[in-house]
Amino acid sequence: MTNPGLIEVEVAVGDRSYPTLVGDGARHALADVIPERARRVAVVTQAAIGIEVDPGIDHRVFVIGEGEQAKSLSTIEDLCRQFVSWGLTRGDAVVAVGGGLVTDVAGFAASVYHRGVPVVYVSTTLLGQIDAAIGGKTGVNLPEGKNLVGAFWQPHAVLCDTEVLATLPPRELGSGMGELAKYHFLGGGNLDRLDLCERVAACVRIKGEVVAADEREGGIRAILNYGHTLAHALEIDGAFDLRHGEAVAIGLVYAAELGHRLGRIDETRVAEHRRVVAAYDLAATVPAGSDPDHIIELFSRDKKAIDGVTFVLDGPNGVEPVLVEDEAVLRAALAAVTNNEGIS
Ligand code: GLY
């Protein structure tokens, strides 16, 4: 497949390997990546996305609701029933057009419809392009918690259209930058020196390599949660007005302060975390009113905690899961992101 002007990154997951095309106007390559045998395509999107795509064959648009409540099993049932009514068959395909919520929902519907139909993602948010659309995690929420029901279902292809990122509200784009900042410390280096298209492609390449090494998250894939333990604690119950990437940015600096206190990284490396987060105009302190006791309690409840409080931390061997048993260190690092005192 050649698409001039687009960067192609392969996610190498054996016989389910797929191309990710990154660049301005990538959505216009959709017809090129639809599975050959598909006769028709169910396009799943949200009303607010407002991006039309042309799969080049018979298609119909299915609109799902907005917000986390649309990420539910009842949306999956609605979609699958509508697919049946329209006559979508096993040989056809689903196309998701939107951010992480749309790709998670449409991907899960595709994974269970007729026990699995191909899905192509046209990812329209920065957060989606560098995370949710890559790696095959799909799923929905239950009233008991987020992403509790899902499947690993690799897409057939992913289109990351950097042109549409210009239409995102500034705070949504900023949130994506918080997730992007994470990749600086997963081998990305000085990503901020690249243009946006190259930066997205670099993040896709890093995530793709991690997923290729550990598709089902038995080990190394956990490093993609760098900065996420504090972020999840801050996001729980929506207690603060924080977007995901904003919370991750604070979580990255917290992880650096923690890693430093555990002797894993030096002050220069902590300063590099602070520099990168500041370069993306993101805050590095927990919101005013955060309760340290509550945060420490939430750490051990985080679903990514495997045995005690397992953090993903930077160190001499790079970023890796580390069991942290000393609560005083957790608190000291928290103080460093509470009052901006930095390294002490
Ligand atoms: N969002 C982390 C992962 O895909 O594993």
Side-chain angles (χ1 to χ4, degrees):
M1 183 187 325
T2 41
N3 285 279
L6 301 180
I7 302 175
E8 181 168 342
V9 180
E10 192 192 47
V11 179
V13 279
D15 59 3
R16 285 156 294 106
S17 298
Y18 53 93
T20 298
L21 303 180
V22 183
D24 287 355
R27 66 191 184 283
H28 302 304
L30 181 59
D32 298 340
V33 297
I34 296 295
E36 264 175 34
R37 73 182 189 134
R39 278 183 313 116
R40 49 173 46 178
V41 159
V43 177
V44 178
T45 191
Q46 288 168 313
I49 303 288
I51 292 169
E52 283 185 24
V53 292
D54 180 7
I57 55 174
D58 185 22
H59 60 283
R60 181 177 289 187
V61 176
F62 298 85
V63 177
I64 63 169
E66 309 288 332
E68 283 293 311
Q69 77 235 33
K71 197 173 169 182
S72 67
L73 283 169
S74 70
T75 301
I76 301 300
E77 182 178 356
D78 287 349
L79 277 177
C80 290
R81 292 182 66 185
Q82 290 177 67
F83 292 167
V84 176
S85 297
W86 185 48
L88 194 77
T89 70
R90 279 194 79 180
D92 295 324
V94 172
V95 169
V97 181
L101 191 148
V102 177
T103 56
D104 278 9
V105 167
F108 186 43
S111 78
V112 291
Y113 186 69
H114 285 293
R115 299 189 180 84
V117 295
V119 63
V120 173
Y121 294 152
V122 181
S123 182
T124 61
T125 64
L126 181 56
L127 204 51
Q129 294 182 1
I130 62 172
D131 189 20
I134 310 298
K137 281 188 182 175
T138 72
V140 296
N141 304 330
L142 292 177
E144 288 76 11
K146 289 176 75 168
N147 298 321
L148 289 179
V149 178
F152 286 98
W153 188 247
Q154 297 294 347
H156 181 78
V158 180
L159 305 179
C160 297
D161 194 332
T162 44
E163 187 176 55
V164 305
L165 299 181
T167 66
L168 290 177
R171 211 172 150 198
E172 174 63 39
L173 191 61
S175 172
M177 293 298 180
E179 193 74 35
L180 198 149
K182 173 187 83 175
Y183 289 98
H184 282 247
F185 307 102
L186 299 182
N190 292 323
L191 291 175
D192 47 337
R193 295 203 185 134
L194 304 177
D195 71 29
L196 186 59
C197 172
E198 289 169 333
R199 234 185 292 175
V200 169
C203 295
V204 169
R205 196 169 292 115
I206 294 168
K207 179 159 184 184
E209 283 168 7
V210 173
V211 169
D214 178 23
E215 190 182 353
R216 297 287 176 128
E217 198 167 346
I220 186 78
R221 186 164 177 163
I223 70 170
L224 296 171
N225 292 315
Y226 189 45
H228 283 58
T229 305
L230 177 62
H232 288 151
L234 295 173
E235 287 178 288
I236 275 180
D237 299 333
F240 302 106
D241 177 28
L242 274 183
R243 302 283 175 101
H244 178 67
E246 293 169 341
V248 170
I250 304 165
L252 290 171
V253 175
Y254 177 72
E257 293 284 357
L258 188 54
H260 176 58
R261 280 165 177 75
L262 293 169
R264 297 178 54 83
I265 57 173
D266 61 17
E267 295 186 7
T268 309
R269 187 67 169 164
V270 179
E272 177 64 2
H273 282 71
R274 289 190 176 273
R275 184 198 72 76
V276 168
V277 165
Y280 290 118
D281 278 331
L282 291 162
T285 51
V286 294
S290 304
D291 174 4
D293 293 334
H294 189 48
I295 289 175
I296 300 284
E297 188 198 323
L298 290 171
F299 283 163
S300 53
R301 277 204 246 148
D302 186 78
K303 70 181 165 63
K304 302 293 188 301
I306 297 160
D307 182 15
V309 187
T310 301
F311 282 84
V312 177
L313 296 178
D314 199 5
N317 305 319
V319 171
E320 61 188 350
V322 177
L323 183 66
V324 183
E325 292 164 301
D326 185 351
E327 194 183 303
V329 182
L330 297 179
R331 285 182 185 276
L334 204 47
V337 295
T338 299
N339 52 18
N340 229 356
E341 71 185 26
I343 302 159
S344 59

